[in-house]
Amino acid sequence: MTAPRTNATSATRDTRRARTTGLAAAAAGILVFNISPFMNWVNPADGADPRTGYETDSLVPFIAYLGLGLLLALVYATKRARRGQHRGLTLVTMAVGIAATLQCLAFAINPMGGLERGDDLSSDIGVWIGLIGAAIWAVGAAMLAKEIEGDDDERTENYTRDDAHND
């Protein structure tokens, strides 16, 4: 009995893996975002008792922890997924990164967490650190999602990174 023949295309397809540049960028953004809840997010008009992300809104640390969970799942997917990436997980990570960016932008425009107390709040450094981290997180996940290795259909069989177009 002879061993089955493999052609160069199938050997290339089986060994091709997604680049991890986007994963590294998303990881950096998630880590920066996870620092921001410990910083001051809002500051009352009278200047007394600024509030951290934890004190301002429970969604701030929740999104930070959700980012950590997604990051661990992405790292696991790089080891286990056939081509080094799970498309659905990557897109969810990008969507949560976009949501975190929008949340920080909303805080920067109109700080939340003081309406029930009648506080006149202004945003503080934590919002801006969170915004930078969330933006890097979303862009990194988008870079990873752009990798063709996450697709699992017939269009990827003959695709290489150097092709000018995908037929």
Side-chain angles (χ1 to χ4, degrees):
M1 183 181 277
T2 60
R5 293 176 43 188
T6 60
N7 60 26
T9 304
S10 67
T12 302
R13 187 184 78 234
D14 292 340
T15 60
R16 193 178 70 217
R17 304 203 31 99
R19 291 183 212 155
T20 57
T21 308
L23 175 62
I30 289 168
L31 294 177
V32 168
F33 189 87
N34 270 272
I35 293 168
S36 72
F38 297 103
M39 303 175 95
N40 292 336
W41 273 56
V42 294
N43 206 350
D46 58 15
D49 196 27
R51 297 183 198 118
T52 67
Y54 279 99
E55 297 168 324
T56 303
D57 189 348
S58 62
L59 284 179
V60 173
F62 173 77
I63 290 180
Y65 297 147
L66 180 60
L68 288 175
L70 290 169
L71 177 59
L72 290 175
L74 283 173
V75 169
Y76 183 72
T78 62
K79 305 292 182 213
R80 299 281 302 170
R82 190 174 116 207
R83 292 183 180 151
Q85 155 184 193
H86 184 278
R87 173 67 76 213
L89 178 62
T90 304
L91 292 173
V92 166
T93 303
M94 184 176 74
V96 175
I98 291 169
T101 303
L102 292 174
Q103 179 191 27
C104 291
L105 191 59
F107 262 91
I109 293 169
N110 187 13
M112 301 168 226
L115 185 61
E116 65 277 359
R117 292 184 207 102
D119 293 344
D120 183 22
L121 300 175
S122 60
S123 59
D124 213 333
I125 189 72
V127 173
W128 303 107
I129 299 298
L131 181 63
I132 291 167
I136 294 169
W137 167 1
V139 168
M143 288 169 51
L144 184 58
K146 185 179 166 189
E147 292 290 312
I148 192 71
E149 286 78 9
D151 295 336
D152 199 18
D153 63 14
E154 70 282 347
R155 292 179 294 146
T156 62
E157 300 301 321
N158 296 318
Y159 181 85
T160 63
R161 286 188 177 107
D162 298 327
D163 284 346
H165 57 82
N166 190 11
D167 294 297

